Amino acid sequence: MDIVRSILLFLLAALAEIGGAWLVWQGWREERGILWIAFGVLALGAYGFVATFQPDPHFGRILAAYGGVFVAGSLAWGMIVDGFRPDRWDVIGAGICLVGVAIIMYAPRADSMGA
């Protein structure tokens, strides 16, 4: 159950961070205004809290693993929201990142300290 919870939290974090950054981008670069930027900042702030709910207690591990989720999530966001078409190297790179996430987060540990 912890793995399912962890994965759902990573997905929520990606939605908040990538969505927040996209809103700021839209507000500033696409000149949609301060309200878009404000909602983006709020979403980015929410992202900062999501990681604290991860079952693993190690900040460095959580953020390192989230980096891989962010890479894959950013490509997915671009496809869904902006019509971006990743090439095979984008897909391969994102896949490698997700394998890294799985190893960092869910590999069996020798003890509770992650040794």
Side-chain angles (χ1 to χ4, degrees):
M1 189 62 178
D2 275 351
I3 292 174
V4 172
R5 177 178 175 215
S6 174
I7 290 168
L8 291 174
L9 286 167
F10 277 135
L11 294 174
L12 181 60
L15 181 64
E17 185 183 20
I18 298 164
W22 183 82
L23 287 167
V24 171
W25 179 285
Q26 293 298 308
W28 186 257
R29 286 202 48 166
E30 304 299 326
E31 300 178 356
R32 292 193 173 176
I34 192 72
L35 196 55
W36 286 70
I37 294 169
F39 283 124
V41 168
L42 289 173
L44 288 165
Y47 152 74
F49 284 96
V50 172
T52 67
F53 295 104
Q54 282 285 352
D56 189 290
H58 303 288
F59 175 82
R61 180 177 295 143
I62 299 299
L63 270 286
Y66 175 68
V69 174
F70 179 81
V71 169
S74 295
L75 291 174
W77 183 279
M79 291 171 59
I80 294 165
V81 176
D82 289 328
F84 172 69
R85 297 288 173 233
D87 64 21
R88 67 179 170 185
W89 301 110
D90 294 324
V91 173
I92 291 168
I96 291 169
C97 289
L98 292 176
V99 168
V101 171
I103 293 168
I104 291 169
M105 286 300 298
Y106 311 120
R109 304 276 182 215
D111 63 27
S112 64
M113 294 303 292

